[in-house]
Amino acid sequence: CWSCRRIGRIQINLKNSWGFMPPAYISTMSKFSKNYLNKINKILNKILEEEDKKITECAKLIRDSYKKGGQLYIFGTGHSRLLGEEAFHRAGGYAAACPIRDDNLTFKKGATKATSLERTPNIARKALQKYKITRKDVLMIVSNSGVNHAPVEAAIVAKERGIKSIALTSVKYSKKAPLSKLNKKLYELVDIFIDNKIPPGDTIININKFSVGPASTITGSFILNSILIELASMLKTEKIFPFYISSNMPNASKNNNKLENKFRKINPHL
């Protein structure tokens, strides 16, 4: 219809709640933004079509860990670290998720320093040593390029300690980016890897000979939450369903307090 536009597999209704199309809609959203939306949609559909079995496998791995009293730890540097925070104490999120936090993995010491540190030996090893990660746990490692020293080192530590590992990474990017001194790609070392389908450089929109519009945070969040949604379906009969409710919703305190009390002993951030 005149009020709808179909972008990929998503149909967007352009009418507002009064039943007519906002006159400024077309003019305010540039062709670049619409192209960005279209490309993101295509990437997400490709992930769903090509990585669906691995998403289920990851959910099963985390389910088995949970049944043994384990926890999902999430490691990343720079912007990849955001997915650890996305999973932690999230409305509708998995209660047994714990981000690996360390100032050397963030921008706290400055962007230049952070870029250097994620390429520095022993940074990941020291960060992981702060947590009591055991063989009953799962370590998810997020790295778009999949080659920097820290995430690769994290995968090596997991393998050394017999910890099951999952990677969210770009296979195309990994094959093009220069390797660290470890001479390994992240996806070569983990038990399961999910390809986020992001091109080398992360960006997907070309403007004036530059490429802009990073996409890995959007795809990463989609993959992460897809795994956790599948996990939720596998744990739906648990006596205490391990998923948080938004604190602004009815009965949230009762539900969330139970979960916090249950996981506080193993999650240092609660």
Side-chain angles (χ1 to χ4, degrees):
C1 64
W2 68 272
S3 63
C4 299
R5 290 204 170 193
R6 189 174 293 277
I7 301 176
R9 297 181 181 180
I10 298 175
Q11 180 169 295
I12 299 176
N13 193 329
L14 301 183
K15 284 186 179 180
N16 63 19
S17 58
W18 291 278
F20 59 86
M21 186 167 66
Y25 179 84
I26 299 301
S27 62
T28 57
M29 190 174 184
S30 76
K31 65 177 182 179
F32 298 111
S33 296
K34 285 185 279 189
N35 191 23
Y36 183 64
L37 175 61
N38 188 40
K39 286 190 173 184
I40 289 290
N41 184 39
K42 286 181 178 178
I43 293 170
L44 295 182
N45 280 315
K46 190 174 184 181
I47 291 170
L48 198 57
E49 290 172 0
E50 298 179 4
E51 304 295 316
D52 61 328
K53 290 183 179 179
K54 286 187 177 181
I55 287 172
T56 302
E57 287 174 14
C58 289
K60 288 179 179 178
L61 196 66
I62 300 167
R63 176 203 61 191
D64 294 343
S65 168
Y66 177 79
K67 295 283 189 178
K68 297 174 185 176
Q71 189 167 220
L72 172 64
Y73 289 89
I74 304 175
F75 177 95
T77 64
H79 291 91
S80 293
R81 188 186 64 83
L82 295 175
L83 290 191
E85 301 303 325
E86 166 67 17
F88 176 64
H89 207 274
R90 186 75 160 85
Y94 182 47
C98 179
I100 301 296
R101 291 175 177 169
D102 189 287
D103 287 348
N104 289 325
L105 306 177
T106 72
F107 295 110
K108 187 173 182 179
K109 297 181 179 181
T112 303
K113 186 69 173 177
T115 300
S116 174
L117 286 170
E118 67 180 352
R119 291 166 171 78
T120 302
N122 294 319
I123 291 297
R125 193 174 292 274
K126 290 177 181 177
L128 292 171
Q129 285 174 351
K130 295 164 59 178
Y131 296 83
K132 298 177 181 179
I133 309 177
T134 68
R135 291 189 176 188
K136 64 184 178 183
D137 300 310
V138 174
L139 178 64
M140 179 182 286
I141 305 165
V142 186
S143 173
N144 193 35
S145 68
V147 297
N148 288 334
H149 197 105
V152 172
E153 183 177 79
I156 290 172
V157 171
K159 190 175 285 290
E160 290 173 352
R161 295 168 61 178
I163 299 164
K164 294 294 183 181
S165 58
I166 297 168
L168 272 55
T169 189
S170 167
V171 173
K172 282 186 178 180
Y173 203 164
S174 299
K175 290 180 177 180
K176 187 169 183 179
L179 300 179
S180 70
K181 292 181 180 179
L182 294 172
N183 201 37
K184 290 287 184 181
K185 301 178 182 71
L186 177 60
Y187 71 81
E188 297 172 335
L189 298 167
V190 295
D191 293 288
I192 307 173
F193 72 87
I194 295 182
D195 185 2
N196 65 13
K197 314 298 180 185
I198 298 297
D202 199 354
T203 52
I204 58 175
I205 300 298
N206 295 318
I207 299 178
N208 291 341
K209 297 182 181 180
F210 286 90
S211 188
V212 300
S216 62
T217 303
I218 296 174
T219 59
S221 183
F222 174 76
I223 293 167
L224 170 66
N225 284 299
S226 294
I227 292 170
L228 298 181
I229 288 167
E230 294 301 319
L231 174 65
S233 72
M234 296 174 187
L235 297 176
K236 62 185 178 183
T237 59
E238 289 293 305
K239 186 176 180 180
I240 300 178
F241 186 56
F243 283 79
Y244 288 114
I245 298 173
S246 169
S247 57
N248 293 314
M249 298 298 288
N251 302 315
S253 295
K254 183 179 179 181
N255 177 79
N256 295 349
N257 288 342
K258 282 183 181 179
L259 294 173
E260 289 164 0
N261 290 333
K262 180 176 181 179
F263 295 106
R264 187 169 282 114
K265 291 181 180 179
I266 60 173
N267 191 327
H269 303 308
L270 287 174

